[in-house]
């Protein structure tokens, strides 16, 4: 099997945003999780398509829609706006027809200034992705602005819970468990005598 394709989508209306950086970092970690030789991550920065998304003709947005729909994994990222996701992301997702993301394993990612918005992805973004036919096997990756300076600890903690369901959804074998050392087992056996 070839390496699963992974796309990072940023719904932040500012081009090159920190949300885009977080989406790219998460997508790269997911690509590495799914393959020893991962394919390059594709990036869709909706801020660069904003002028076209609501226009009658939107060829660049259509190309982006096709890239996301063809991906094996899509990280769909948004800053939290008014306790939900951005209108730009909503307008983009509205361009899909029924089941437009059928078969795509989606990872909602939200960036908020306040941990109180931790459920925005679960309550608002996940249902839209599921309605479009995406498979969302893991909880939303929720990041606060304070975590953006050093994403690795937050990504590690999220992946500790999300890796197994994501691998199952992609039809991949479970990750190999590290071999247990014989010394702790021997020590435990001696302690029980």
């Amino acid at each position: 099997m070839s390496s699963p394709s992974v796309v990072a989508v940023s719904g932040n209306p500012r081009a090159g945003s920190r949300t885009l950086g977080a989406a790219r970092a998460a997508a790269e970690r997911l690509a590495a999780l799914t393959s020893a030789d991962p394919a390059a991550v594709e990036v869709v920065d909706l801020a660069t398509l904003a002028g076209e998304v609501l226009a009658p003709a939107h060829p660049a947005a259509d190309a982006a829609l096709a890239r996301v729909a063809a991906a094996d994994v899509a990280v769909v990222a948004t800053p939290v706006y008014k306790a939900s996701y951005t209108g730009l992301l909503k307008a983009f997702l509205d361009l899909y027809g029924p089941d437009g993301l059928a078969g795509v394993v989606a990872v909602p990612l939200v960036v908020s200034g306040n941990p109180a918005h931790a459920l925005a992805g679960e309550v608002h973004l996940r249902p839209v992705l599921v309605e479009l036919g995406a498979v969302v096997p893991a909880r939303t990756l929720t990041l606060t602005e304070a975590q953006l300076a050093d994403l690795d600890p937050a990504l590690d903690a999220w992946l500790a819970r999300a890796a197994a369901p994501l691998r199952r959804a992609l039809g991949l074998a479970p990750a190999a468990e590290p071999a247990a050392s014989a010394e702790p087992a021997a020590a435990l056996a001696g302690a029980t005598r």
Side-chain angles (χ1 to χ4, degrees):
M1 177 180 167
S2 62
S3 298
S5 59
V6 182
V7 175
V9 179
S10 172
N12 193 313
R14 291 191 180 113
S17 67
R18 296 183 301 165
T19 303
L20 176 64
R24 180 181 286 127
E28 287 170 353
R29 290 290 293 275
L30 289 169
L33 172 81
T34 62
S35 176
D37 185 25
V41 169
E42 288 190 69
V43 175
V44 175
D45 188 354
L46 295 182
T48 64
L49 303 173
E52 189 180 282
V53 170
L54 296 176
H58 33 71
D62 287 342
L65 289 162
R67 283 200 319 272
V68 177
D72 294 305
V73 180
V75 175
V76 181
T78 182
V80 174
Y81 273 32
K82 308 290 187 201
S84 187
Y85 52 91
T86 65
L88 176 59
L89 180 58
K90 175 70 166 122
F92 178 76
L93 294 174
D94 282 348
L95 294 175
Y96 282 111
D99 293 323
L101 292 177
V104 175
V105 174
V107 174
L109 185 158
V110 297
V111 177
S112 70
N114 186 329
H117 292 126
L119 288 177
E122 290 296 302
V123 173
H124 300 291
L125 186 52
R126 174 190 286 268
V128 172
L129 296 171
V130 170
E131 176 65 23
L132 291 172
V135 176
V136 186
R139 289 186 56 111
T140 298
L141 172 53
T142 303
L143 302 169
T144 61
E145 289 179 7
Q147 293 173 305
L148 296 177
D150 183 14
L151 285 172
D152 285 336
L155 291 174
D156 290 342
W158 180 78
L159 279 169
R161 294 183 313 275
L166 286 164
R167 291 183 66 81
R168 268 193 309 276
L170 289 164
L172 301 172
E177 293 292 323
S181 169
E183 291 177 24
L188 182 59
T192 59
R193 292 186 184 160

